[in-house]
Amino acid sequence: MKRILLLALAGPALGVMARPALADSAHENPDDVVAAAKQAALALAPPGAQVTISQAKAAAYMPACTAPLSVAITGNAPYQEAAVHCPAPVWVLYLTANVAAQQLVEVAARPIEAGQTLSEDDVSLAEKPVSLFAGRQTFAGAQQLIGAQARLSLQPGAVITSDAVAQPVVVSTGQTVAVQVKDGGVVVSVNAVADQTGRIGDTILMTNPGSGRRFSALLTASGPVVDLGS
């Protein structure tokens, strides 16, 4: 089998530059093309993932590559595209890489109703195929979900994604809380009254009771934050 040069890229796929095979020339080995694509996909796949590559029948019609093959992998698991590129003579073949990966994520431990506030007993860690939640944010710890509110009903074993829950309310309207005001490396804590109810990740209006000045603050896990440097 010829030596394979791997170039696993996350950028745009290589352009098609295939040249017609000459009748009297040796043709490329399809197995070599598949092996190059699989090796590149495995290099980017999570540990333990199973990778399958589509057939490369078209390779049998391409001139035999006289230089190392390079491969560009694009797309998100489980379905990715492998562009196998021959620099001399120039041609490109596109194959499909199916990455069957598993990941530890939080799932519903029992039936969860829409509107329900989650407790530690409602969730548990389980290994699930990435294909079930590809492209969506998941959770890897119960502490991230305790107090969150389910946006929709979930059956036991269902993967809990960020769009399925609303983060817990951390500040209520009229509540006086400490706000961290950051200016470069200086951090000052001031008390302010929340003008709105908010969850982690929300930006709400607050009022300084001393000056009456209103300002916006970002709600984080450690409380409201105002970054004057941003």
Side-chain angles (χ1 to χ4, degrees):
M1 181 180 292
K2 65 168 61 70
R3 184 166 61 92
I4 296 170
L5 175 65
L6 298 182
L7 181 61
L9 301 176
L14 297 171
V16 177
M17 296 177 287
R19 292 181 178 175
L22 301 177
D24 58 350
S25 66
H27 293 162
E28 183 59 38
N29 185 343
D31 291 339
D32 286 355
V33 175
V34 171
K38 186 170 185 177
Q39 190 172 348
L42 281 170
L44 295 178
Q50 299 295 317
V51 174
T52 55
I53 304 295
S54 61
Q55 295 183 357
K57 293 182 179 180
Y61 300 95
M62 298 295 185
C65 195
T66 60
L69 296 171
S70 63
V71 181
I73 301 293
T74 56
N76 297 317
Y79 304 112
Q80 296 178 315
E81 183 178 75
V84 184
H85 176 242
C86 172
V90 177
W91 51 256
V92 180
L93 287 176
Y94 295 95
L95 307 180
T96 299
N98 191 336
V99 182
Q102 301 239 354
Q103 185 176 321
L104 269 177
V105 293
E106 291 291 342
V107 302
R110 54 190 181 185
I112 295 174
E113 298 295 329
Q116 179 179 329
T117 299
L118 303 184
S119 68
E120 189 171 2
D121 293 333
D122 292 319
V123 300
S124 62
L125 274 176
E127 274 203 351
K128 291 290 184 178
V130 172
S131 58
L132 292 179
F133 52 84
R136 293 183 292 168
Q137 179 188 340
T138 57
F139 301 91
Q143 292 303 318
Q144 297 174 287
L145 289 169
I146 295 174
Q149 188 178 62
R151 296 183 188 270
L152 44 87
S153 297
L154 299 170
Q155 295 301 312
V159 177
I160 302 175
T161 56
S162 58
D163 57 346
V165 296
Q167 291 297 315
V169 171
V170 291
V171 175
S172 299
T173 301
Q175 183 179 353
T176 299
V177 293
V179 180
Q180 296 181 59
V181 180
K182 300 180 179 180
D183 189 1
V186 178
V187 179
V188 178
S189 180
V190 297
N191 288 331
V193 178
D195 296 332
Q196 298 171 293
T197 295
R199 305 173 187 271
I200 292 176
D202 291 343
T203 297
I204 66 170
L205 286 173
M206 307 193 72
T207 299
N208 183 324
S211 64
R213 178 175 174 268
R214 301 181 79 196
F215 59 91
S216 297
L218 173 66
L219 299 184
T220 70
S222 59
V225 173
V226 175
D227 191 345
L228 299 178
S230 61

